[in-house]
Amino acid sequence: MAIDQSRRDTGKVRGRRKLRYQSFDEVLAEARRLHATPHRQLGNWTLPMILQHLANGIHGSIDGGTFNVKWYYKLIGPYVIKPMLVKGPFPAGFRLPRAAEARLVAQPDVDYDAAMTALEQAVERLKREPQRGKHPVAGKLTRDEWDQFHLRHAEMHLSFLVDQ
């Protein structure tokens, strides 16, 4: 079942937090903190949906074979889009192609404990397994570039959850 991402244009949301993670431990700590404290959701996704999505993305970067994108994204991706994805800030409001959505977007009823466990396992896998696939837009990324991509990706998604 496809997720309706059209409810709120997240590219135009105001009031998001400015985040900068240096490690995956910081991401995991922030996920736990958000779960333990009252927060509001500025975007379309709940905390568990975000955590599962991040886990799915990490597995995709290791396994490769994610999804196809239009030819012009592949043409400009390594030169224009890659720096944004690796150095930040990561753009909000991007709508995933349907094939990517089906593989990467979590279902609305995902449980926090299951999503948190999935993210913890994905991060452990990222640390222990050296292989990385190609990014569908940015092309070949080094292991460090993939790590930076995942940290920037987490910053963007978790920025939509703000303390009450």
Side-chain angles (χ1 to χ4, degrees), residues 69-143:
V69 296
K70 294 185 175 49
W71 67 269
Y72 48 85
Y73 283 125
K74 288 183 181 186
L75 183 66
I76 66 167
Y79 310 103
V80 177
I81 298 171
K82 178 180 174 178
M84 287 187 302
L85 299 180
V86 173
K87 295 178 183 168
F90 207 97
F94 178 77
R95 183 161 175 113
L96 291 168
R98 286 190 194 274
E101 183 178 308
R103 186 172 177 176
L104 297 172
V105 177
Q107 294 300 312
D109 62 350
V110 66
D111 173 72
Y112 167 79
D113 291 326
M116 188 65 195
T117 298
L119 182 57
E120 289 167 339
Q121 290 173 344
V123 167
E124 283 306 311
R125 186 173 178 222
L126 197 63
K127 290 176 182 179
R128 112 181 141 255
E129 294 186 27
Q131 77 274 6
R132 299 292 182 270
K134 277 183 151 181
H135 187 278
V137 175
K140 185 165 176 47
L141 300 178
T142 66
R143 187 173 180 170

Side-chain angles (χ1 to χ4, degrees), residues 18-104:
K18 292 191 187 318
L19 301 171
R20 188 68 176 187
Y21 298 124
Q22 301 301 316
S23 72
F24 292 104
D25 290 338
E26 290 177 329
V27 174
L28 295 171
E30 178 65 1
R32 290 181 192 103
R33 185 194 73 77
L34 284 165
H35 179 65
T37 59
H39 63 272
R40 14 183 220 113
Q41 174 184 320
L42 301 178
N44 296 319
W45 293 357
T46 64
L47 175 60
M49 288 177 73
I50 291 169
L51 301 180
Q52 185 65 58
H53 171 68
L54 295 174
N56 294 346
I58 289 171
H59 288 300
S61 72
I62 296 169
D63 298 331
T66 52
F67 54 91
N68 290 323
V69 296
K70 294 185 175 49
W71 67 269
Y72 48 85
Y73 283 125
K74 288 183 181 186
L75 183 66
I76 66 167
Y79 310 103
V80 177
I81 298 171
K82 178 180 174 178
M84 287 187 302
L85 299 180
V86 173
K87 295 178 183 168
F90 207 97
F94 178 77
R95 183 161 175 113
L96 291 168
R98 286 190 194 274
E101 183 178 308
R103 186 172 177 176
L104 297 172

